[in-house]
Amino acid sequence: MTGDMLVSLAALTACGFLAWRSFGSYRKSRRETAIMAAAWVGIFVALVFVLKQLGVEQ
């Protein structure tokens, strides 16, 4: 498994966990939870893109 795959799995796990916590603990609607999850996915994708552009990879 490459470093990119590990980062992707970690990001997806974190996004899923955050969405689950939001849905269960904060009593958000399913729509609000989906929007929050999509925002976190966008943040992680942007971070990975920026790091790749800076040449930070294995």
Side-chain angles (χ1 to χ4, degrees):
M1 197 174 264
T2 66
D4 289 343
M5 292 173 86
L6 290 174
V7 169
S8 296
L9 287 174
L12 287 173
T13 302
C15 287
F17 177 75
L18 290 170
W20 174 71
R21 291 284 298 170
S22 172
F23 184 70
S25 296
Y26 303 109
R27 299 177 194 235
K28 298 286 184 186
S29 69
R30 291 185 188 263
R31 183 171 185 253
E32 289 172 324
T33 302
I35 290 170
M36 185 181 296
W40 278 106
V41 168
I43 290 168
F44 283 117
V45 167
L47 179 62
V48 169
F49 176 76
V50 168
L51 290 175
K52 282 191 172 225
Q53 294 300 314
L54 293 174
V56 180
E57 57 181 287
Q58 292 180 347

